[in-house]
Amino acid sequence: MQRKASTSPWLCPAAVWGCRGAQHGLVVSAGVWARALGRLAGVHVPLVAMHHAYVVTERIEGIQNMPNVRDHDASVYLRLQGDALSVGGYESNPIFWEEVSEKFAFGLFDLDWDVFMQHIEGAVNRVPVLEKTGIKSTVCGPESFTADHKPLMGEAPEVRGFFLGCGFNSAGMMLGGGCGRELAHWIIHGRPEKDMYGYDIRRFHHSLTDNNRWMRERSHESYAKNYSVVFPHDEPLAGRNMRKDPLHEELLQQGCVFQERHGWERPGWFSPGGAAPVLDYDYYGAYGHERHRDYNYNRLLGDEYTFDFPPHHDIIKKECLTCRNALALFDMSYFGKFYLVGPEATKAADWLFSADVSKAPGSTVYTCMLNRQGGVESDLTVSRISPGTPGSPLAPAFEGDGYYLAIGGAVAQHNWSHITTVLQDMKFQCKLLDCSEELGMMSIQGPLSRAVLQEVLDTDLSNEAFPFSTHKITTAAGCQVRAMRLSFVGEMGWELHVPRADCVKVYRAVMQAGARHGIANAGYRAIDSLSIEKGYRHWHADLRPDDTPLEAGLAFTCKLKSSIPFLGREAVEAQKAKGIFRRLVCFTTEQKVPMFGLEAVWRDGQVVGHIRRADFGFAIDKTIAYGPTAALGPIPWALVASSQRSPWRWLLLAPSREGDAGRG
């Protein structure tokens, strides 16, 4: 997808001109009309319009000191309004505004009492006096809703200088002040002051943002479940099966319980109870749809509606320990897979990546990409490659230098947009090619991975012939693959990057060879546990754009000992000289209690941070958590770098058999 400079000279009441350096920018804050305005500039704005309503009651005696109430079971709120209550909520059958009128302004819809009555019933159940109270006024207007019930902000992936500030899901008055401030900072400085990735338009893949089915289904489910309790392992039922990797059907028949990320169906864990397909969305029985019966996938999700350890805890434990003690196969095909090629590809790579990736072909380097403030925009692996053959997704032809980038699939669009922005700003003569759909990716990890893969791959896998952090093109089951010796779980292992048409054949060959060694399928629930045991970061889970590599324990990814300039280097060097004021640290608990993130971190009776990511480590039989904590003062870098003397050292909880870090 090409990103172009905005040349649209038009203005409208919903558009606000801003300035970014010497360039003009446009901010669209047009609510339900933002989608139409975006279309004029070639920008996809993924929101839908719905009727949203509330009513105001007559005066209620003695109500003046009543607190505002949100009833999650009834999906209704009661808000004090003088000596009356305003009542509203989120129903399971909201009315879509199918044709957004260009002429509608400063008006309201007639309230549909058949739809709204469910909120009245819920409110009466909570405040019985409402049954005898009249309605003073009704308000029913158009409102924009998004796929995850969060706003759409930031620079559009399609057009430079085109900023969004819309899709506020009926929370604009609550969010407007802070979001407006961050958006202004975004326009002026190129990024927000705080971590705003959860609101960033780049969180959605470009294949979804103009897909009407996905937008409608996901926006409906997010609306209907807005007041539902958010359980740690819940998954959407709407907008599913949009992007399936080549192993989807193979794994489905083996009991794979899929997660949805970025439109992809990725393996979550494997149920011994057989296939659990994700069915077409039933709108929870609304609009005349019949609710699914005997829906195995939905039942498995429902079993996990708990804040205790889930009932499938022991199944995930088995997947983890099989990987630690033997080997497991992880289908990671949803990963973003990009090629950076061209005459100035090395010049671009030197500037984009914090680590030195301009090594000989066959090398693979774990690195970060930073912003100008030194914050981590991404962590990924970059492999130097040689030119291949025209049209090959595994080894494309190109002139100049080439690099193969493998990036966590849930943040692929963010990475694509960041890289293309930098390439345009710096005017590098190179191309970024997306082969995410054309290539599958399976990772075989564990102490027995070499023994199994040596039977499948037509190459020597010894340490001398195939060292860690290298890659080569070889043959597996008669098919060409790119094998990379990498680890994201701290065990010996290889990734196989395979053309889509050959994935099933290669997968079956690996599973057949591994059968007598105890190989097992494993999913991302196991990856989360295995990686947290080894201190591997997950971008935007425990590693965020407002963290620097020094704060995150990733200083080793920065080529500070070289003279090579890279984006964010000055900020990192300045922080290194000044000392850091916070550090991403690791915690364990003696009690076997589940943790999920956002728990407070206390020191000497004061809150000094909060947990970002947590999981259970089965190899050490403890709950593990990561979070940034504030220091009492600046910590000199020499003290931080000395793990023997520093009380802020990064704790690597289990000996890592292979590698320093991974991306997932």
Side-chain angles (χ1 to χ4, degrees), residues 580-630:
I580 63 175
F581 288 82
R582 65 173 187 169
R583 182 84 163 112
L584 190 64
V585 296
C586 180
F587 304 89
T588 62
T589 62
E590 293 304 318
Q591 292 180 308
K592 290 185 181 179
V593 293
M595 296 172 64
F596 306 105
L598 297 181
E599 295 87 356
V601 177
W602 293 77
R603 182 181 61 213
D604 298 331
Q606 291 187 329
V607 175
V608 294
H610 70 274
I611 297 303
R612 285 187 181 167
R613 179 165 78 105
D615 215 308
F616 194 81
F618 294 101
I620 65 169
D621 201 32
K622 290 179 182 290
T623 297
I624 308 167
Y626 294 78
T629 59

Side-chain angles (χ1 to χ4, degrees), residues 230-246:
V230 180
F231 291 102
H233 301 297
D234 197 11
E235 293 288 331
L237 298 175
R240 298 296 295 266
N241 296 317
M242 303 299 298
R243 306 173 76 191
K244 297 180 181 179
D245 70 52

Side-chain angles (χ1 to χ4, degrees), residues 182 186 191-200 376 414 539-541 543-547 612:
E182 290 302 313
W186 212 327
R191 59 156 281 110
E193 191 172 21
K194 295 179 171 59
D195 169 34
M196 297 291 288
Y197 178 72
Y199 291 1
D200 194 330
V376 179
H414 175 87
W539 192 85
H540 209 256
L543 176 64
R544 297 183 179 179
D546 51 348
D547 299 318
R612 285 187 181 167

Side-chain angles (χ1 to χ4, degrees), residues 232-479:
H233 301 297
D234 197 11
E235 293 288 331
L237 298 175
R240 298 296 295 266
N241 296 317
M242 303 299 298
R243 306 173 76 191
K244 297 180 181 179
D245 70 52
L247 296 179
H248 182 273
E249 294 302 321
E250 191 83 9
L251 300 183
L252 177 63
Q253 299 309 314
Q254 298 184 50
C256 183
V257 181
F258 288 95
Q259 300 174 333
E260 189 276 341
R261 298 292 185 275
H262 226 51
W264 284 106
E265 298 293 322
R266 77 173 191 183
W269 56 285
F270 286 80
S271 169
V278 180
L279 304 180
D280 289 343
Y281 187 48
D282 63 7
Y283 285 89
Y284 292 88
Y287 315 121
H289 289 81
E290 185 176 349
R291 295 207 66 168
H292 295 309
R293 304 185 183 208
D294 301 321
Y295 189 1
N296 192 29
Y297 182 82
N298 196 19
R299 180 185 59 78
L300 291 171
L301 288 184
D303 289 346
E304 296 205 320
Y305 287 173
T306 176
F307 291 98
D308 201 344
F309 291 117
H312 312 115
H313 193 62
D314 288 340
I315 297 174
I316 297 164
K317 174 182 179 179
K318 185 177 180 180
E319 291 181 15
C320 291
L321 296 183
T322 299
C323 178
R324 288 274 181 253
N325 299 319
L327 78 162
L329 187 148
F330 301 87
D331 174 23
M332 303 173 70
S333 297
Y334 96 116
F335 257 49
K337 310 168 201 75
F338 305 154
Y339 290 105
L340 180 66
V341 297
E344 293 188 334
T346 292
K347 190 176 179 181
D350 285 343
W351 180 250
L352 274 165
F353 305 122
S354 62
D356 185 2
V357 301
S358 57
K359 302 180 182 299
S363 64
T364 297
V365 178
Y366 172 74
T367 182
C368 293
M369 291 192 290
L370 310 183
N371 53 47
R372 283 182 295 174
Q373 292 77 20
V376 179
E377 291 288 338
S378 167
D379 70 326
L380 67 158
T381 55
V382 179
S383 301
R384 184 74 179 268
I385 60 173
S386 300
T389 57
S392 169
L394 191 63
F398 56 86
E399 293 182 2
D401 296 328
Y403 297 86
Y404 177 53
L405 284 52
I407 298 160
V411 294
Q413 182 67 56
H414 175 87
N415 279 255
W416 177 273
S417 298
H418 175 76
I419 294 170
T420 54
T421 296
V422 173
L423 296 182
Q424 289 178 3
D425 288 347
M426 301 299 292
K427 297 180 172 60
F428 290 124
Q429 298 301 305
C430 54
K431 294 180 180 179
L432 187 65
L433 309 173
D434 188 351
C435 286
S436 303
E437 303 277 357
E438 289 82 10
L439 291 172
M441 177 178 163
M442 54 195 86
S443 189
I444 298 87
Q445 301 283 324
L448 301 183
S449 58
R450 176 186 281 126
V452 170
L453 288 177
Q454 193 63 80
E455 299 180 29
V456 179
L457 298 179
D458 189 20
T459 190
D460 184 357
L461 299 182
S462 65
N463 283 327
E464 296 74 22
F466 209 139
F468 180 75
S469 203
T470 63
H471 68 94
K472 62 179 66 175
I473 290 182
T474 184
T475 302
C479 307

Side-chain angles (χ1 to χ4, degrees), residues 146-157:
T146 64
D148 56 3
H149 217 76
K150 295 178 182 177
L152 306 175
M153 295 182 62
E155 191 175 30

Side-chain angles (χ1 to χ4, degrees), residues 15 47 53 56 99 132 135 188 215 225 283 305 367 375 411 420 459 502 519 538 548 568 584 586 615:
L47 54 78
V56 180
E99 298 294 334
K132 301 176 182 178
I135 302 297
I188 295 169
M215 284 189 291
K225 292 183 68 175
Y283 285 89
Y305 287 173
T367 182
V411 294
T420 54
T459 190
D502 299 327
I519 192 171
H538 285 198
T548 69
L584 190 64
C586 180
D615 215 308

